[in-house]
Amino acid sequence: MKQGERHPIAAGVTALVAVAVGVGLIVGIGMFVGASILGLGGDGAASDQATDPDAGASLYAPSPKPTKTASGPAITLDASPTSAPEKKAGSVSSSTGSSPSAAAEEKPAKEITLQTGVVEAKPMERIDITGVYPGGEGAILRLERDEGEGWEEFGIPDVSVTGEQFSTVIQTGRIGKHMFRMKDIDTGTYSNVVTVTIG
């Protein structure tokens, strides 16, 4: 290699450095211009906010103001008059002697419908007693009998209401007319009266 000539490797490195510097300058200028367009410049945003506090803000929250205290009731009740529920016919409540106002406040009693398989039977003949008790699911019913001297328990196990229906079987050897009814032992509600003549 002659004196004064540049080494080829050194020339290549110099060219690479020059290209890198040029690319770096172009990228830097591009980033600066982009930041200015998008408003990301630190000095510009600071100066804008110094003159206008809302400049460049992306979220605005209004300054708090005191609220008025409510002077009325927290809830509103229905003041319209309501009619008292009517009692269903055929249901008798055990609470006799209660005042009319107390009876008006009571909910309508559920109605127990009672029937027998026969109206006449021989002594000790099987008598099927069935019935329905709408809304009385799970209620316990007790059979009562009146032979003309007042209502008394008949003496069979209590009957439970399942599927709003109930059934039981009785036998009696007493001759004469027997009246039967069912009583809900929890509410005191009575069924209609059915009559069976034994003889």
Side-chain angles (χ1 to χ4, degrees):
M1 177 181 297
K2 295 181 181 179
Q3 189 175 5
E5 290 184 3
R6 300 182 66 183
H7 194 279
I9 296 176
V13 171
T14 303
L16 285 175
V17 170
V19 170
V21 170
V23 170
L25 286 173
I26 292 171
V27 171
I29 292 171
M31 289 178 63
F32 178 75
V33 171
S36 298
I37 291 173
L38 296 176
L40 298 176
D43 293 339
S47 61
D48 288 345
Q49 289 182 356
T51 57
D52 183 6
D54 294 332
S58 60
L59 176 65
Y60 172 74
S63 45
K65 295 181 181 178
T67 57
K68 295 181 181 179
T69 305
S71 59
I75 59 173
T76 304
L77 300 176
D78 185 8
S80 62
T82 57
S83 59
E86 297 180 0
K87 284 197 150 194
K88 290 184 180 179
S91 59
V92 180
S93 175
S94 63
S95 57
T96 57
S98 60
S99 63
S101 60
E105 292 175 1
E106 292 178 1
K107 292 182 179 178
K110 300 166 188 160
E111 187 173 344
I112 306 172
T113 303
L114 182 67
Q115 61 185 10
T116 58
V118 295
V119 293
E120 294 182 358
K122 296 177 181 178
M124 300 308 295
E125 183 179 343
R126 173 189 174 110
I127 302 171
D128 294 318
I129 294 182
T130 59
V132 294
Y133 192 6
E137 185 68 24
I140 304 299
L141 306 179
R142 184 166 294 157
L143 183 65
E144 294 183 341
R145 171 174 62 179
D146 184 3
E147 299 175 90
E149 298 178 1
W151 291 101
E152 296 178 350
E153 293 181 16
F154 185 71
I156 63 170
D158 294 337
V159 180
S160 63
V161 178
T162 305
E164 300 187 343
Q165 298 180 352
F166 59 91
S167 64
T168 188
V169 176
I170 63 169
Q171 292 174 310
T172 180
R174 294 186 185 179
I175 305 298
K177 181 186 282 188
H178 300 266
M179 292 186 294
F180 295 99
R181 71 180 182 184
M182 281 290 190
K183 174 185 176 182
D184 186 331
I185 64 173
D186 291 327
T187 65
T189 302
Y190 294 100
S191 72
N192 58 300
V193 176
V194 294
T195 302
V196 178
T197 302
I198 306 297

